[in-house]
Amino acid sequence: MSTSDPLAGTAAPRHPEPRRSLLLCALVGAAVMAGLDEIVFHQLLHWHHFYDRSTSGVALLSDGLLHTAELLALVAGFFLYADLRRRGALAPGYAWSGVFLGAGAFQVFDGIVDHKVLRVHQVRYGVDVTPYDWAWNLAGLLLLLVGGVLLARARRAGGRRPS
């Protein structure tokens, strides 16, 4: 564990909490992915809003609510992360897996539930969305795969499941 690793504690964990490290960093990962989605696809590219099935005012309101929820989740996640580090309870391998699993879960949920099941918005309008849907969902699956591999490595290194 090096001190240059932003997810590593400053000292060896006294009582590591793998499950808590995993879950709170999954919250951070989901919030970061929501923020990237909001900034890149909603604001910079103007491809969609969180809710596109109403007026432009409602669309902007929905973006603001998504951004608010993402910022609250990010702040809460970092406060919980700081508490784990302060107590020497951070399990870095579980934390990193949580970041990727949270980001991937957000991406896949958005791609399947928001885009296809609820149809609150599409990735992009005015084009064939098939390649965008594939890219969106495969990116989310890749993040989940990375998170799963990191979780398996953390479990092997720690010799147990999160508790």
Side-chain angles (χ1 to χ4, degrees), residues 47-115:
W47 281 5
H48 64 262
H49 297 284
F50 180 70
Y51 185 73
D52 276 336
R53 300 186 68 169
S54 187
T55 65
S56 62
V58 170
L60 287 173
L61 174 65
S62 71
D63 283 349
L65 293 173
L66 172 65
H67 201 52
T68 300
E70 158 252 314
L71 284 174
L72 289 173
L74 195 59
V75 168
F78 278 124
F79 270 101
L80 293 168
Y81 170 81
D83 177 61
L84 275 181
R85 276 191 56 142
R86 181 188 56 76
R87 294 186 294 109
L90 183 70
Y94 288 91
W96 277 113
S97 68
V99 169
F100 283 94
L101 289 169
F106 175 86
Q107 188 83 359
V108 170
F109 180 88
D110 187 44
I112 294 172
V113 176
D114 290 341
H115 297 177

Side-chain angles (χ1 to χ4, degrees), residues 120-141:
V120 295
H121 66 262
Q122 293 298 317
V123 176
R124 191 170 182 191
Y125 292 97
V127 297
D128 176 16
V129 296
T130 304
Y132 292 94
D133 285 338
W134 277 102
W136 194 267
N137 290 316
L138 287 174
L141 290 173

Side-chain angles (χ1 to χ4, degrees), residues 13 16 18 91-94 150-163:
Y94 288 91
L150 291 174
L151 180 58
R153 288 178 60 194
R155 285 179 175 162
R156 276 195 308 276
R160 64 179 202 183
R161 293 190 173 286
S163 55

Side-chain angles (χ1 to χ4, degrees), residues 7-23:
L7 287 180
T10 55
R14 290 176 290 241
H15 296 82
E17 297 180 27
R19 181 177 173 83
R20 187 172 170 137
S21 297
L22 175 76
L23 293 176

Side-chain angles (χ1 to χ4, degrees), residues 33-44:
M33 187 54 68
L36 287 172
D37 177 29
E38 170 69 24
I39 292 165
V40 173
F41 297 101
H42 298 213
Q43 295 174 5
L44 296 176

